[in-house]
Amino acid sequence: MPEGSAQQRKTDNSLVKAVARAFRWKRMLESGEFATVAELAEREEIAPSYMTRILRVTLLAPNIVEAILDGSQGPGVTLAPVLEPFPVEWDEQRRRFSTRAIA
């Protein structure tokens, strides 16, 4: 891209949906509405293992979540790598997902 030009933002709908689901399910579990992931997964008619991978998204650094929601995530930040195990340390996540640190 030419110097000084703005980078075009591209929202990844599958990532946004995963973030929304993850935080919704987390709220449902924390509120006590469902006692276990297995119980909630049964209600949502999905595999508990899939739900667990989606719930992991709630552990992403806030700036990574923001980047996903506003479409400014790096090109390597797609659903597949986000659902793989990743470090819990936010700085390590930023390195892995090539997202600049935001203070």
Side-chain angles (χ1 to χ4, degrees), residues 7 9 12-13 16 18 20 22 36 42-45 48 62 65-66 74-75 101 103:
Q7 185 175 0
R9 294 180 181 214
D12 181 331
N13 291 332
V16 171
T36 66
E42 183 178 334
R43 155 77 164 27
E44 296 287 314
E45 298 180 351
V65 173
E66 270 186 48

Side-chain angles (χ1 to χ4, degrees), residues 44-59:
E44 296 287 314
E45 298 180 351
I46 60 171
S49 61
Y50 177 73
M51 179 172 279
T52 301
R53 288 194 312 270
I54 295 290
L55 280 166
R56 191 180 304 128
V57 170
T58 64
L59 301 176

